[in-house]
Structures are given as C-alpha cells and as structure tokens.
Amino acid sequence: MIPRPDNTETMVRDYLDGTLPHAERGAFLHRLRNDPAALDLLAAHAMMDARLRQLARGDRPVSQAPAPVRRRRWQFVAAAACIALSTLLIWRVAHGPAEATYTVSPFTQYSLEGPTGEPGRLALGGTIELTQGAVDIALPTGVKCIATAPSRITLKGRNELEITDGLAHFQVPESGKGFTVRTPDLKVIDHGTEFTIDAARPGHHEAHVLRGKIEVRPLADQTAVSTLTDGQAVRLDSGSLRPMATESRRFMTRLPEGLPALWFPFDPGKSGDLPVFGSLAETAGVSVLPPSETFRKPEIVAGRSGKALRFPDNHHSLQTSWPGVEGTMARSVSFWLRSEPGSEQGIYMPLVAWGLPAGPRSMGIFSIELGGKTGNLHLRIASGRRWLEGATVLDNGRWNHVVVVLEGHRPGKWPVIKAYVNGSSEPLVHRLPEDRDAAPLDSFYTVVDDPRSVPLTFGRFNMWREYPSQPWEIDEVVIAAGILLPQQIEALHSGSVDNAGLAIEPTHHQNAR
C-alpha cells in the first residue's frame, strides 16, 4: 500500500488535473524530488488515469494484476517520467521568465510603470504604485506579498522585490527560500518564513518575523546584520537596528473585500461595550477606551440607526485606541449628526479628530468640527488654526449625513478636500483666524506617532482650551483609508453600510426610517 502523507493525495490530484495553484507548484515539485512516498503516489495516480483513459476509448483493459516485472517496469517508467517532468518544471521555476501576477482589492487605485505585460501581470522591472487599497502579488517562486497603500512595489528579479513606502506581509514557501526585499533603508533576506515590512516612515523602517528566520541589513551599513526568528522585530533608528515588540495585527494577510475601513455603529454589545467593525479594526486591534478622569463619557441614546452617542457639552469625550490615517494619505469620514440651537453665541465643537495638536506650528491634526453662531453652525475641517468651512446650517434639530473626503495633498496649498451633506456636494471656503497666526500650508501632515498625538477621538480632544458648546449627537461613523466614490457615498447616505463597498463584515443592523 502506498503511503499517503497529509494533504499529499489532494495535491497530487490537483497537479494531475491542472488545478494546483501556480504559487504552490514549485513547493510541490520540490517535495516530489525529496519524498519517495509522494513520488510513488503520483506515479500510481498517473497510471490509474492512463487506465481510465484506455477504458474510455474502448481499448483493451489493462490487467488488474499485471506480472510483478511488468508492474515494476511501468511504475519505473512513470516515476522516471515524473522525475524528468519535475526537474524540468523546477528548472523553469528557478530560471524561467521573471514575471509576477497581481490582484487588487475592490476600489483600489493604482498605476503601472516600466515594462508592461498582460493585465494582472508584472514584468521584470515593472512597478505597481498604490494610492489606496491593497494588492496581492505572487512571484514565480511562490512568494506571496500583500501590500497596502500608499505603496510602490517593483519586481527586481524572479525572487526579489523593492518596496517604497507602505506596509507589506510576505509568505515564503520552501521554493522561495532566499527571497530578498529591499526598502530605501533595509535589505531583508528570507530563510523560509512569514514576515512583514513597514516602510511608511523614512529612516525608521521595520521588519517583523511571524515565524521562521530572516536577515536584516541596513543599506547604509550592510555589515550590521541582524538575524531575526519567530516573534522578533527591529526598527531602524539613527542608522542602527533596534529591537522592538512584534506587531502583526496591523499588517493585512489577505486582500480585503472592499476599501479598508472602520465602522462605529455605537450599539452596545451584551457586556455594555461599544464594538468596532471593519478590516482596519481587525489589523489595528481598534477598541473604544474607558473614559478618562479628565472628560466624561458621552450618553447612549436612541440614534438614527439603533443607538447613538450624545455629548451634552464640551466636557464629554470618547477616545479609541486607533492612531488614525497618517501623513497625507487619502481618507474619508462619514457620519450622521444632530444638534439643536443652544443659548451660547459663539460655538466651537470638535466632532471627530486625530493627530498632533500643534497650534500655529504645523498642520499635524485632522479635525472635523462645527463652528459659528448658534442656529447657524457650519461644517469645518480644521488643522493648524486654519479651516475649510461649509455653507449648510447643521444645528437644525434634524439628522444630517456628513462626508469628508481628503483626496490628495498639494504642497504649499490646502489638501484636496471635498465634503458632502445629505448626499449633495458641499462648497468649502478657506478661513483664517483674524487675530492669530496659522501654520504654513506646506506643513500639512497628520502626525500619529508622536507621544503627544491624539488617537481617533469623538468630542473634545484636548485640555488646554475652554470653549462654548451645545448638545449634539453622532451615529454610524465610518472611516475609510481611501477615497469614497459617489456610489459609496450614496449607499452610506441611504443607510446601506453593508453595500457601500467597504471591508466590513456583513451585519443584520437595521437602519431607522
């Protein structure tokens, strides 16, 4: 009886049927060369297929019990043929054309540079650049890379990639051992493993090993080699590699089913907590933090859909563990808002914010606010004591749907920001304070890694300023790491979060009418 190692028979059948994924063939052929039992199993199945084909053609059936010499001869021929085929295919894996395949997630925006091949294929020297979304790249050696925007990836060889900016996760089979990935700061050589690269911050690139082993070399000093194994990680700091805690959750290991996003329905769970949904919640481990001693917890009230948060005044705040979208990356924020006119005259109410509050020094925070006089409050997108202001009155006592989309950054000018209120485009006007300095426009960069940075926060986010406010409520907050398209905005406005093309798990959440 022929031994059948775990999963081997399935791989043999898939291989003979031509359905074994291309990325797994190299590892399978390598196993055939080193596993006699697997090779015997392949030979047996190949002979069985030949017999069935003979019967289907009406040929003379092959004896069910051939003479031992004849059986050994046929098995030897089949095995020899398999070895020859395996050797040929392994040679092709190692020396054939250098071309990778790629698949992008829905609503991904990308461009190709350099040598171009067929759609879905990346030729040697070709580059794919993501401005939003994610890509799955399969190298001819079986290496699999999942990269998230913003990122720029170049195929440098059959078993080598170059990554500029962004986050990437690598799965390296036995056939891809020796895989090399370069960033502007690091060179990483694989020794059969699963690892990740963070190339988002220039001069501070990171490498994390989930399992296996890699070598990490700073490009400025390739003699300074660090060998990392399971659970180890390093970050480049001042030209040297420093050990750090491994963080695996912030790296995507599979393509999301839509635009990466967070969703806060504000409907308490069975234990009273406020759950967070979406692919960004999964990778970043996002949660709502307990209330601090400084600010009060907002109230849970009936919302536009299920429950909502109510902020009676500016002494209430809800903070999360998510640092927010960094730098000049595209982002979209969608929510429902309700407020009624109060008794104060000049009103300033932060709604959703994250980043580094730096006053007039830099535009390091990204803040969506309401401002103006009571009964005439307008939407504001503020940073560095500058803001863009809308025209629609939002403290009218009704639920209003608000969407803010940062599409890109123009050095020396306001970022390209669009707003929508109740499904319609909202005109925005640049504003400056009359009696205070404002940060230079070229300083726009949302800072999320400074110890003073504020993570995603609803309501008041700082202690240094008192300001008048009035009660307001917020519901169904969605934050996407990319640009929401018009059809997605319409889906959110109609209350169909599940059909908005976002990477959030389906729910049975019923929207209010």
Side-chain angles (χ1 to χ4, degrees):
M1 183 175 180
I2 298 174
R4 297 182 177 182
D6 292 345
N7 300 326
T8 302
E9 182 161 346
T10 299
M11 297 181 69
V12 165
R13 296 305 315 168
D14 290 346
Y15 176 75
L16 291 174
D17 293 339
T19 59
L20 186 66
H22 178 78
E24 297 179 16
R25 292 180 186 175
F28 174 67
L29 295 174
H30 180 81
R31 180 173 181 177
L32 289 178
R33 188 172 62 181
N34 295 279
D35 188 346
L39 186 58
D40 285 347
L41 188 60
L42 178 63
H45 277 286
M47 291 180 66
M48 185 180 299
D49 286 352
R51 291 169 185 166
L52 291 174
R53 285 193 294 271
Q54 283 182 323
L55 290 173
R57 291 195 304 265
D59 294 349
R60 181 179 176 181
V62 178
S63 171
Q64 295 298 314
V69 174
R70 180 181 177 86
R71 183 176 184 274
R72 284 196 299 270
R73 184 177 71 226
W74 276 103
Q75 189 167 353
F76 174 78
V77 171
C82 288
I83 293 174
L85 179 61
S86 300
T87 302
L88 174 62
L89 292 179
I90 289 173
W91 184 89
R92 288 186 63 186
V93 167
H95 303 286
E99 186 179 65
T101 60
Y102 68 87
T103 305
V104 297
S105 59
F107 297 99
T108 290
Q109 295 187 7
Y110 70 97
S111 60
L112 298 173
E113 298 179 10
T116 56
E118 299 177 6
R121 296 185 177 274
L122 191 64
L124 180 64
T127 298
I128 182 169
E129 183 169 6
L130 303 180
T131 53
Q132 77 175 45
V135 64
D136 182 336
I137 300 176
L139 273 63
T141 54
V143 175
K144 184 176 181 179
C145 166
I146 303 289
T148 53
S151 190
R152 181 181 173 87
I153 305 166
T154 302
L155 182 63
K156 304 296 288 185
R158 293 183 50 77
N159 207 30
E160 182 175 348
L161 288 175
E162 180 180 78
I163 294 186
T164 304
D165 206 359
L167 308 178
H169 172 275
F170 301 93
Q171 187 79 41
V172 184
E174 184 68 22
S175 57
K177 190 173 182 179
F179 166 70
T180 300
V181 58
R182 298 174 184 266
T183 77
D185 292 340
L186 302 176
K187 176 181 179 181
V188 178
I189 302 173
D190 162 81
H191 293 281
T193 188
E194 181 182 2
F195 69 99
T196 60
I197 293 289
D198 182 343
R201 294 182 60 203
H204 298 278
H205 291 179
E206 303 171 8
H208 302 245
V209 178
L210 307 184
R211 59 182 179 85
K213 184 170 68 174
I214 63 174
E215 289 182 12
V216 184
R217 303 169 184 261
L219 291 184
D221 181 11
Q222 294 198 36
T223 62
V225 181
S226 284
T227 300
L228 308 181
T229 57
D230 297 21
Q232 294 183 327
V234 291
R235 175 191 291 128
L236 190 65
D237 187 10
S238 301
S240 300
L241 295 174
R242 312 287 187 189
M244 64 175 295
T246 303
E247 300 175 9
S248 60
R249 295 186 64 177
R250 59 187 165 103
F251 298 89
M252 291 187 180
T253 59
R254 54 184 173 82
L255 284 186
E257 297 179 356
L259 194 63
L262 289 173
W263 177 33
F264 296 83
F266 298 128
D267 296 333
K270 293 181 179 180
S271 60
D273 60 326
L274 293 175
V276 188
F277 301 96
S279 60
L280 290 179
E282 178 183 346
T283 56
V286 178
S287 61
V288 173
L289 301 179
S292 66
E293 297 180 357
T294 306
F295 302 120
R296 301 170 192 161
K297 183 179 180 180
E299 303 168 0
I300 302 294
V301 298
R304 187 191 179 277
S305 177
K307 300 298 184 180
L309 292 185
R310 176 178 173 82
F311 295 78
D313 52 41
N314 68 355
H315 295 287
H316 292 71
S317 176
L318 185 73
Q319 193 173 86
T320 79
S321 62
W322 189 52
V325 180
E326 183 179 12
T328 59
M329 284 181 60
R331 67 205 65 169
S332 300
V333 183
S334 165
F335 56 90
W336 288 90
L337 172 74
R338 180 169 67 183
S339 180
E340 297 182 359
S343 59
E344 298 284 353
Q345 290 300 309
I347 301 292
Y348 165 69
M349 292 158 46
L351 308 174
V352 182
W354 69 84
L356 178 63
R361 295 187 298 278
S362 70
M363 298 176 69
I365 195 167
F366 185 75
S367 179
I368 301 174
E369 309 166 352
L370 285 185
K373 294 183 178 181
T374 185
N376 194 32
L377 296 187
H378 301 138
L379 175 69
R380 291 180 176 178
I381 300 97
S383 186
R385 293 185 182 166
R386 296 177 177 270
W387 67 90
L388 301 175
E389 187 168 301
T392 302
V393 175
L394 293 177
D395 59 335
N396 53 17
R398 299 190 299 270
W399 281 106
N400 296 282
H401 184 236
V402 177
V403 178
V404 175
V405 181
L406 190 156
E407 295 187 347
H409 177 242
R410 301 174 297 181
K413 297 182 179 181
W414 258 102
V416 181
I417 293 178
K418 295 181 179 179
Y420 303 83
V421 174
N422 297 323
S424 299
S425 179
E426 177 78 352
L428 297 174
V429 178
H430 297 182
R431 300 292 191 194
L432 283 171
E434 296 180 357
D435 57 346
R436 295 184 181 180
D437 295 331
L441 286 169
D442 59 6
S443 69
F444 175 78
Y445 189 95
T446 308
V447 180
V448 303
D449 56 0
D450 189 283
R452 299 164 295 174
S453 294
V454 178
L456 172 64
T457 301
F458 304 105
R460 186 173 176 181
F461 58 83
N462 61 51
M463 299 173 54
W464 53 266
R465 182 179 176 186
E466 281 291 336
Y467 43 79
S469 66
Q470 62 191 39
W472 58 280
E473 298 167 11
I474 191 169
D475 197 8
E476 298 292 314
V477 177
V478 171
I479 302 178
I483 301 169
L484 288 177
L485 301 180
Q487 60 266 37
Q488 294 175 285
I489 294 173
E490 175 57 32
L492 293 171
H493 178 227
S494 66
S496 184
V497 176
D498 295 341
N499 297 317
L502 302 171
I504 55 177
E505 54 265 45
T507 72
H508 300 290
H509 197 65
Q510 299 297 319
N511 294 302
R513 301 299 182 189

